[in-house]
Amino acid sequence: MGYSKQRELVKAIVASSCAHPSATDIYLEARKTIPDISLGTVYRNLSLLSQSGEILRIPVDKGDRFDKTTCCHAHFCCVKCGRVFDVPTDGMAALADRICDHGHDVKRTTLLFEGVCKSCAKSDE
Amino acid sequence: MGYSKQRELVKAIVASSCAHPSATDIYLEARKTIPDISLGTVYRNLSLLSQSGEILRIPVDKGDRFDKTTCCHAHFCCVKCGRVFDVPTDGMAALADRICDHGHDVKRTTLLFEGVCKSCAKSDE
DNA sequence: TATAATAATAGTGATAGTTACTATTTTCGA
DNA sequence: TCGAAAATAGTAACTATCACTATTATTATA
Ligand SMILES: [Mn+2]
Ligand SMILES: [Mn+2]
Ligand SMILES: [Zn+2]
Ligand SMILES: [Zn+2]
């Protein structure tokens, strides 16, 4: 993965944010430094950085969000304001309860594993 | 929520499927019975049925999927074929390991809580 | 350094899933 | 049976994201 100041900027913006920014958030922030950076470049670099494990992609209802914290942790996403909060994953069963104890109201818990299934892994030798 | 044969058909199709069908899957199946049913009607009824808890909406990368099983359970989604498999949620920490034991390759685990946060709950009295 | 090969970019256009809109039709209670 | 309320079909709009291409930047090499 070669050098480009655009890619470094995208990475720096994710690294400096605690708000789990969206691609658009990052694009708007990036334009303050590189005014003619394109949205496509932001998306491409977010994908590359996610694939290489330098940042984490979080699938949320209305567009993906990005996280400088790449170790496994859960998120609480507010359906009203869209903010994404970190949730440490020590327990797990009592997690939703703990979130509710903080005054949040958990409406839905989504747990999704993604990967390649047995039969697909076989079919491409 | 009033009666309509379209809504009953959408619900019946979800109830009879074990494949976690997408909105388009359901639309195509519904047209076999009601040829001029519209895609908008399918989407509207899927949303209504999900909201009322009669079916479960599963957010997956490439479009939502729908589930007749509404009790809490996890899913393994293959990024190659798109199939969605049920995963019982007894343990949780060893879940990814168990999926791998079955020959699947877990690339990413997504755990997402959604709801209304404390400050938003306060702001609308 | 000069230069050729490679990689990345900006800008634009396309795509797909979903929602919004509206005129028409269906349902349902009085 | 009749009128309000709800639901529909069809279409258009929206948004996040990806694809394409000509141009520019980076890197490797002589
Ligand atoms: Mn996080
Ligand atoms: Mn399921
Ligand atoms: Zn909120
Ligand atoms: Zn598969």
Side-chain angles (χ1 to χ4, degrees):
Chain A
M1 209 161 67
Y3 165 90
S4 84
K5 62 180 198 285
Q6 289 88 347
R7 179 168 305 152
E8 288 203 348
L9 177 57
V10 166
K11 187 178 173 185
I13 289 169
V14 174
S16 68
S17 172
C18 295
H20 301 90
S22 67
T24 304
D25 293 337
I26 294 160
Y27 170 61
L28 293 175
E29 186 63 30
R31 289 212 302 186
K32 294 177 183 172
T33 305
I34 303 177
D36 67 347
I37 193 172
S38 74
L39 185 54
T41 293
V42 171
Y43 271 108
R44 179 166 23 78
N45 284 313
L46 287 172
S47 293
L48 288 169
L49 292 165
S50 299
Q51 278 182 285
S52 71
E54 295 174 76
I55 65 175
L56 181 71
R57 180 192 293 265
I58 308 166
V60 176
D61 254 31
K62 302 291 173 187
D64 291 353
R65 307 286 285 269
F66 297 88
D67 197 337
K68 63 178 170 185
T69 305
T70 54
C71 69
C72 176
H73 64 292
H75 293 98
F76 171 73
C77 175
C78 175
V79 294
K80 288 199 68 177
C81 65
R83 276 184 297 176
V84 174
F85 304 88
D86 285 327
V87 176
T89 59
D90 35 294
M92 183 65 69
L95 264 182
D97 288 347
R98 195 175 312 167
I99 294 166
C100 290
D101 288 344
H102 281 95
H104 300 316
D105 180 18
V106 178
K107 294 273 199 231
R108 183 167 63 153
T109 300
T110 302
L111 173 61
L112 179 67
F113 298 101
E114 288 166 286
V116 178
C117 76
K118 191 176 185 175
S119 60
C120 283
K122 231 180 304 182
S123 70
D124 64 346
E125 75 263 39
Chain B
M1 210 160 67
Y3 164 91
S4 84
K5 62 179 196 288
Q6 288 87 347
R7 179 168 305 152
E8 287 203 348
L9 178 58
V10 166
K11 188 178 173 184
I13 289 169
V14 174
S16 69
S17 172
C18 295
H20 301 90
S22 68
T24 303
D25 293 336
I26 294 161
Y27 171 62
L28 293 175
E29 185 63 31
R31 287 212 303 186
K32 295 178 184 171
T33 304
I34 303 177
D36 68 346
I37 194 172
S38 74
L39 185 55
T41 293
V42 171
Y43 272 108
R44 181 165 21 79
N45 283 313
L46 287 173
S47 293
L48 288 169
L49 291 165
S50 298
Q51 279 182 285
S52 70
E54 295 174 76
I55 65 175
L56 181 71
R57 179 193 294 264
I58 308 166
V60 176
D61 254 32
K62 303 288 172 190
D64 291 353
R65 307 286 285 269
F66 297 88
D67 196 336
K68 63 179 170 184
T69 305
T70 54
C71 68
C72 177
H73 63 294
H75 294 98
F76 170 73
C77 176
C78 175
V79 295
K80 287 200 67 177
C81 66
R83 276 183 297 176
V84 175
F85 303 88
D86 285 326
V87 177
T89 59
D90 35 293
M92 184 65 69
L95 266 182
D97 288 347
R98 195 173 313 166
I99 295 167
C100 291
D101 288 345
H102 280 96
H104 300 316
D105 180 19
V106 177
K107 293 273 198 233
R108 183 167 62 155
T109 300
T110 301
L111 173 61
L112 179 68
F113 298 101
E114 289 167 283
V116 179
C117 76
K118 192 176 183 174
S119 58
C120 283
K122 231 182 304 184
S123 70
D124 63 347
E125 74 260 42

